[in-house]
Amino acid sequence: MPLSRKVFKMKKLFLYSIVLFGCTLMSCGDDEVPVGTTSEVTLNFTANYGTNMLDSDTQTTHDFEEESTVRFTEFRFFISDVVFTTEEGTDETALIEIDEIDFSRSNMDAKYIRSVPTGKYSGIKFFIGVEAEFNNTKPEEYASEHPLANTASYWLAWNSYIHCKLEGFLDNGTANEIPFSYHTGSDDLLRSVTIPYNITLAADGSFDLDIMVDVEKILYKNDTYWNIEEFPATHNPSNPDDLNTANYIMDNLSEAFKIQ
Amino acid sequence: MKFGTSYILALFLLLFLACGNDDDMVTSPVDEDIDLSNIPYDPQPFDLVIPDSFPQMEIPADNPITVAGQDLGRHLFYDPVLSADSSMSCSSCHLQNSSFTDNRAVSIGIDGIGGTRSSMSLLNIGFNYNGLFWDGRSLTLEEQALLPVEDPIELHNLWPDVIDKLQASDLYREKFRKAFGIGLASEITKELAVKALAQFERSIVSSGNSWFDQVIYGNDPTKQFEDDELNGFLMFFDQSNGALPDAECGHCHPAPLFTTDEYINNGLDPASEPVDFLDPGYGTVTQFPSDFGRFRVPTLRNIALTAPYMHDGRFQTLEEVVEHYNSGGHHAPNIDPLITPLELTPEQQQDLIAFLKTLSDMDVVENPLYSNPF
């Protein structure tokens, strides 16, 4: 190859390099996250009853006390202010503002994919229910796609969103199944959940976090099952029995989560 | 001669290919088409008045409600041109003075054949985003409006025949031009027709003047429920602090729309298995076993005007409806757990009915914007 042509080719290569470098600089504008500072996190909520998958759609029955069984027709609850925590406890990384998780159709309903800054986290924290800031609002204030727009999840008697709905039937061998419907609402019944878990997010990596809620733990505490037959519903906040039941349900629910 | 034959064959082949299976092909010759561009097209937004207590209505971006679009939809809604024998229109099964139902157990089509389900109210239908019909088989009003025209037990027509008539009509040429700005009569399509019908249906909104609305949302302390209405209200929403039974109504019929638009089994028929339901309802659409025998929760606004009740019109009166819920219904694996015996006294049942009557909105059934324009 003649020298002049070689020189021309090198000049061309140099020019291309400049253009390429310029393009790279331009693509790192203020609006974009620099490559390598985030990791993709998948949060997946599932529901079990003990060691079995909860499947309210197929009318599956689960063992309850003695010879009786329960089956669930509806299980849904709100989560709000979901964050990753750090050991220092000062810096929280927001993941989900608010959503309603609904296991009425299938065991694996809620999957969230988030881009999270890399680093070390000490666990996950969230509220079960609708935080007061939102609980003072009403469904008609939201667009239909918003999780708070669902009128079926708002209850006038509580003047509140329904933090959790657990409905189904108890079969204790008598002629008819006994229906139960636990609806909990009001600011006092909001519960906080913190699950310690060491999480290290590497640059450009991905991380799956499976959070399982055990429905049996909602109805079982201190070696005793909840007396569904005597307390089958919680609809009226001014009724002491209803309020006691609602507290029982929410306390147990807040302790029923674990990372798998 | 040989060249001539080949030429003709090639021409024939080209013509054959050009006449492929193209549904969008305009069949009317261009020279018979009517130019509509001399008719003014000046779309103005329809003033949709929604009570303050209601949510905002979400209207599809590709079908905003205009004055001319709502007017066209109203004409189509009341015009028997949509049926094969020009004997029935949408309004035949959705009468304004019956809050857009037909007061029959099941609707009857042009051939005198009864359907299997009762006509649903169109009041506030624009706020529904969870499926239409009793079984949720259509997701949008535009999609829904396509079906009754060709349903053999309803208007039993064919859309091409309807469109031919609309394209030939001076009235509709002008109204389609004003509603959608089309330039030619041949541009009148079924897609535009159902858009107009949907605009009209979305315009049918409660006035906010029912007695319930005046008492609860009216901010006028002089307006109070009568004793029986108040008792009914307290039982309906379980607000009596235990002084009265919980009638469990408000779970599925919450204010302000008095429906969740969810699909439930309210215990109308006994069933051991999903296949036992004579009408599978929502299960037909989803194919989930536990959805069989479920139906969409209807609004209770104007419920006193929409007898008979339930998807098959089995109950003639509100008394029968309340008695059904008071009994706890019939057991089935997927019956809603809230359908339990209520133990309401006869007087309490009457109180509940008195409250239901406070939801009557006579302004909406007399509003000329929704009335027959012919």
Side-chain angles (χ1 to χ4, degrees):
Chain A
M1 189 183 288
L3 188 64
S4 60
R5 217 170 151 191
K6 247 185 185 172
V7 169
F8 174 74
K9 208 170 178 188
M10 281 180 72
K11 274 183 177 172
K12 204 171 164 188
L13 198 65
F14 180 70
L15 201 66
Y16 279 150
S17 302
I18 297 259
V19 170
L20 193 65
F21 181 70
C23 286
T24 309
L25 276 182
M26 282 162 70
S27 70
C28 291
D30 287 346
D31 292 335
E32 292 196 20
V33 178
V35 173
T37 60
T38 61
S39 187
E40 186 180 271
V41 172
T42 302
L43 289 176
N44 194 31
F45 285 82
T46 60
N48 271 24
Y49 185 91
T51 54
N52 300 320
M53 231 167 61
L54 182 81
D55 193 344
S56 53
D57 187 58
T58 55
Q59 317 289 326
T60 310
T61 59
H62 303 278
D63 290 339
F64 204 61
E65 65 180 347
E66 296 174 359
E67 299 295 304
S68 58
T69 60
V70 284
R71 60 187 181 88
F72 299 93
T73 56
E74 186 156 10
F75 177 43
R76 59 208 289 177
F77 55 86
F78 280 99
I79 51 170
S80 50
D81 198 13
V82 183
V83 298
F84 271 164
T85 56
T86 56
E87 279 180 8
E88 299 77 34
T90 51
D91 192 21
E92 294 183 336
T93 300
L95 300 169
I96 302 162
E97 185 178 42
I98 191 156
D99 202 3
E100 188 175 31
I101 294 181
D102 185 357
F103 289 112
S104 305
R105 278 241 176 261
S106 106
N107 176 265
M108 293 173 63
D109 174 72
K111 184 179 264 190
Y112 305 88
I113 298 172
R114 296 288 186 271
S115 187
V116 179
T118 54
K120 290 189 174 180
Y121 297 91
S122 60
I124 189 166
K125 193 170 81 173
F126 52 94
F127 288 103
I128 300 296
V130 178
E131 277 192 285
E133 172 196 350
F134 293 111
N135 208 28
N136 291 325
T137 62
K138 290 190 173 166
E140 47 266 30
E141 296 173 36
Y142 297 94
S144 67
E145 294 300 315
H146 196 282
L148 294 175
N150 185 1
T151 53
S153 297
Y154 190 85
W155 185 225
L156 197 62
W158 296 90
N159 199 23
S160 161
Y161 281 92
I162 300 169
H163 297 323
C164 168
K165 265 189 189 183
L166 183 65
E167 297 181 359
F169 293 88
L170 168 74
D171 184 351
N172 61 1
T174 51
N176 294 316
E177 290 182 304
I178 297 162
F180 59 85
S181 55
Y182 301 121
H183 297 181
T184 64
S186 81
D187 293 345
D188 291 342
L189 288 167
L190 187 74
R191 292 291 182 272
S192 174
V193 176
T194 302
I195 312 175
Y197 196 78
N198 290 326
I199 300 164
T200 301
L201 299 182
D204 299 330
S206 62
F207 190 87
D208 289 358
L209 197 63
D210 292 325
I211 301 168
M212 189 269 285
V213 54
D214 183 350
V215 180
E216 187 175 24
K217 288 185 174 172
I218 303 174
L219 299 171
Y220 183 79
K221 195 172 196 176
N222 300 328
D223 299 327
T224 309
Y225 282 98
W226 180 247
N227 190 338
I228 291 176
E229 196 168 358
E230 190 172 350
F231 304 106
T234 55
H235 296 159
N236 187 342
S238 55
N239 178 327
D241 282 345
D242 276 22
L243 199 56
N244 183 47
T245 305
N247 274 297
Y248 176 89
I249 297 288
M250 290 304 288
D251 287 345
N252 288 358
L253 176 58
S254 67
E255 294 167 6
F257 291 87
K258 74 171 185 183
I259 292 176
Q260 285 187 311
Chain B
M1 192 68 185
K2 259 188 175 177
F3 172 77
T5 308
S6 303
Y7 179 78
I8 289 166
L9 274 174
L11 193 66
F12 180 75
L13 188 66
L14 275 174
L15 277 171
F16 179 77
L17 286 170
C19 294
N21 232 352
D22 186 356
D23 291 340
D24 295 326
M25 189 178 62
V26 175
T27 53
S28 305
V30 173
D31 57 1
E32 287 181 16
D33 213 344
I34 311 278
D35 182 2
L36 306 175
S37 56
N38 60 329
I39 300 170
Y41 170 56
D42 179 24
Q44 298 296 319
F46 181 82
D47 183 19
L48 190 64
V49 180
I50 295 174
D52 290 342
S53 61
F54 275 35
Q56 287 306 301
M57 189 185 292
E58 288 168 30
I59 295 166
D62 66 349
N63 194 23
I65 310 180
T66 62
V67 173
Q70 194 268 358
D71 175 65
L72 168 61
R74 183 158 71 108
H75 279 76
L76 291 170
F77 186 86
Y78 282 97
D79 196 334
V81 71
L82 296 188
S83 61
D85 62 358
S86 298
S87 64
M88 289 180 73
S89 67
C90 307
S91 69
S92 304
C93 298
H94 299 283
L95 290 87
Q96 184 181 12
N97 58 10
S98 301
S99 200
F100 299 95
T101 65
D102 63 0
N103 297 127
R104 292 173 183 268
V106 294
S107 298
I108 296 172
I110 65 165
D111 301 321
I113 303 169
T116 56
R117 295 183 186 151
S118 194
S119 165
M120 294 194 89
S121 173
L122 300 180
L123 180 59
N124 302 320
I125 197 68
F127 296 98
N128 176 322
Y129 315 108
N130 198 34
L132 297 151
F133 294 112
W134 284 100
D135 58 14
R137 66 184 182 275
S138 291
L139 289 177
T140 67
L141 284 169
E142 287 80 358
E143 194 183 315
Q144 185 277 335
L146 285 169
L147 302 184
V149 168
E150 296 198 333
D151 192 326
I153 59 171
E154 294 189 56
L155 303 180
H156 202 176
N157 207 347
L158 295 169
W159 270 109
D161 293 347
V162 173
I163 296 304
D164 282 349
K165 287 180 185 171
L166 297 177
Q167 288 180 354
S169 157
D170 288 341
L171 174 76
Y172 282 112
R173 285 177 195 148
E174 182 180 338
K175 289 197 177 294
F176 271 90
R177 163 70 182 171
K178 287 184 170 175
F180 297 110
I182 58 172
L184 299 167
S186 63
E187 292 170 15
I188 294 175
T189 61
K190 67 179 180 182
E191 286 77 17
L192 291 183
V194 296
K195 275 188 170 185
L197 283 165
Q199 286 187 39
F200 172 65
E201 289 173 313
R202 287 193 180 98
S203 76
I204 304 171
V205 174
S206 288
S207 70
N209 294 330
S210 73
W211 184 231
F212 169 83
D213 292 303
Q214 291 183 52
V215 172
I216 299 296
Y217 302 120
N219 294 321
D220 181 349
T222 66
K223 294 189 171 166
Q224 299 287 329
F225 284 136
E226 298 293 327
D227 287 348
D228 54 352
E229 296 166 345
L230 179 62
N231 284 345
F233 167 79
L234 295 173
M235 289 187 287
F236 189 99
F237 288 112
D238 190 17
Q239 296 259 31
S240 74
N241 295 338
L244 292 164
D246 179 1
E248 311 282 11
C249 313
H251 300 283
C252 297
H253 298 284
L257 297 171
F258 284 84
T259 177
T260 57
D261 286 316
E262 291 185 320
Y263 298 83
I264 71 151
N265 173 0
N266 60 345
L268 290 175
D269 296 302
S272 302
E273 300 290 334
V275 291
D276 291 344
F277 291 107
L278 282 177
D279 186 340
Y282 191 42
T284 313
V285 176
T286 69
Q287 292 300 310
F288 278 101
S290 63
D291 286 338
F292 281 66
R294 291 183 188 232
F295 294 91
R296 181 155 69 85
V297 175
T299 180
L300 298 188
R301 284 191 175 269
N302 271 347
I303 194 68
L305 307 179
T306 65
Y309 304 104
M310 305 297 156
H311 67 277
D312 52 7
R314 68 178 65 190
F315 298 134
Q316 300 302 309
T317 63
L318 286 173
E319 281 77 5
E320 288 179 39
V321 173
V322 172
E323 176 48 39
H324 163 71
Y325 287 116
N326 199 38
S327 75
H330 297 285
H331 187 263
N334 64 349
I335 187 176
D336 195 289
L338 293 163
I339 307 294
T340 58
L342 301 175
E343 299 176 359
L344 305 182
T345 65
E347 188 181 358
Q348 287 165 341
Q349 292 182 48
Q350 284 304 316
D351 291 347
L352 208 50
I353 291 166
F355 169 67
L356 292 174
K357 289 179 178 172
T358 70
L359 301 174
S360 293
D361 177 355
M362 299 318 290
D363 288 354
V364 83
V365 299
E366 290 165 4
N367 190 332
L369 279 172
Y370 316 139
S371 65
N372 189 340
F374 296 107

